[in-house]
Amino acid sequence: MLSTQEPKSVILVVDDDPDNLHVLLETLDASYFRTLVALDGESALRQMAYIRPDLILLDVMMPGIDGFETCRRFKQHEEYKDIPVIFMTALSETMSKITAFQAGGVDYITKPVDVEEVLVRVNTHLTIHRLHAQLAEKNAELQAINASKDRFFSIIAHDLRSPFIGFLALVRLVSGKIEGISPEDMQKLVADIKGNAENVFNLLENLLEWARMQ
């Protein structure tokens, strides 16, 4: 059972049976869920354009399009396709259950519904959906970090190579012709070497700081 201090999960109940609706709404309301009602598939699809539920309880046998077709249409929409759908059906044939899963349902409840079973299945699938969303968010964060890392190392590799090339060139020049270099030129070369060394050092410091932050 959910705490009243937590945000209410929104459950869309799609059913045209008044008795079944009464039992479900009473049970869900008592368990601190926010409930929405649609009496047929078309009404449910129209309602989804205004409020996005966290889970759908969907009857199979309804006027107009049946529950299977309604679920298929839910899943065609990018913004709805991840919403868990639990079918409610009096059909007990294996083929009907297979059709329910093929249409995109995550579970089914046999009518007449048992309220304890409804709550267990609803809470289970809400938890699974929430954990899946959290995992997807973490994966997106990791991908962003990896992309940032790759860009950073690409920049570091480019920026380190240039000063190192200049640094090595100056060192080779000094070491190869030190006797013929005037004091003024030597002073300039040393200043250039010092500047290149400081640039390399600063880049390495930035790299270490980034590594610490990660």
Side-chain angles (χ1 to χ4, degrees):
M1 185 174 293
L2 299 180
S3 167
T4 55
Q5 301 302 313
E6 297 175 354
K8 290 185 178 182
S9 294
V10 180
I11 311 297
L12 172 60
V13 183
V14 189
D15 198 342
D16 64 324
D17 183 340
D19 293 333
N20 199 52
L21 279 175
H22 175 73
V23 170
L24 287 172
L25 295 180
E26 187 176 71
T27 300
L28 294 169
D29 288 343
S31 299
Y32 307 108
F33 291 108
R34 180 185 173 193
T35 53
L36 306 172
V37 175
L39 300 180
D40 55 56
E42 289 91 345
S43 299
L45 288 162
R46 287 194 298 270
Q47 197 166 155
M48 295 276 282
Y50 300 98
I51 300 178
R52 187 185 189 280
D54 298 296
L55 183 141
I56 300 169
L57 289 172
L58 179 60
D59 188 25
V60 172
M61 305 302 293
M62 296 182 296
I65 60 174
D66 64 18
F68 299 139
E69 180 59 24
T70 301
C71 186
R72 292 187 193 100
R73 294 190 188 184
F74 282 150
K75 299 302 178 178
Q76 289 173 357
H77 292 268
E78 186 68 26
E79 64 269 34
Y80 307 153
K81 68 178 185 180
D82 294 329
I83 299 174
V85 176
I86 300 177
F87 281 100
M88 301 179 295
T89 177
L91 304 174
S92 58
E93 297 90 347
T94 300
M95 199 62 215
S96 296
K97 297 173 184 177
I98 292 173
T99 303
F101 288 119
Q102 289 176 337
V106 297
D107 207 345
Y108 67 89
I109 298 170
T110 304
K111 287 185 173 183
V113 299
D114 177 276
V115 293
E116 293 299 326
E117 179 186 2
V118 170
L119 289 178
V120 168
R121 292 182 186 273
V122 166
N123 279 311
T124 296
H125 287 289
L126 283 173
T127 299
I128 292 171
H129 184 62
R130 183 165 53 250
L131 292 174
H132 184 270
Q134 291 173 355
L135 180 60
E137 183 180 348
K138 293 298 181 185
N139 283 338
E141 290 176 1
L142 286 173
Q143 289 175 2
I145 290 172
N146 281 333
S148 175
K149 176 198 67 177
D150 292 341
R151 287 194 301 270
F152 183 81
F153 278 120
S154 176
I155 293 169
I156 286 294
H158 176 270
D159 289 351
L160 278 176
R161 187 177 291 111
S162 296
F164 260 120
I165 291 173
F167 185 81
L168 290 172
L170 288 170
V171 170
R172 286 168 182 160
L173 177 62
V174 171
S175 62
K177 300 180 179 179
I178 190 168
E179 296 85 0
I181 300 175
S182 66
E184 292 79 10
D185 289 338
M186 178 62 74
Q187 189 174 17
K188 185 178 182 303
L189 287 171
V190 170
D192 289 342
I193 291 173
K194 178 176 179 293
N196 276 280
E198 288 175 346
N199 287 338
V200 172
F201 180 77
N202 288 333
L203 286 169
L204 288 174
E205 281 286 284
N206 290 336
L207 176 60
L208 291 171
E209 179 62 27
W210 181 88
R212 283 193 293 269
M213 290 173 61
Q214 298 308 309

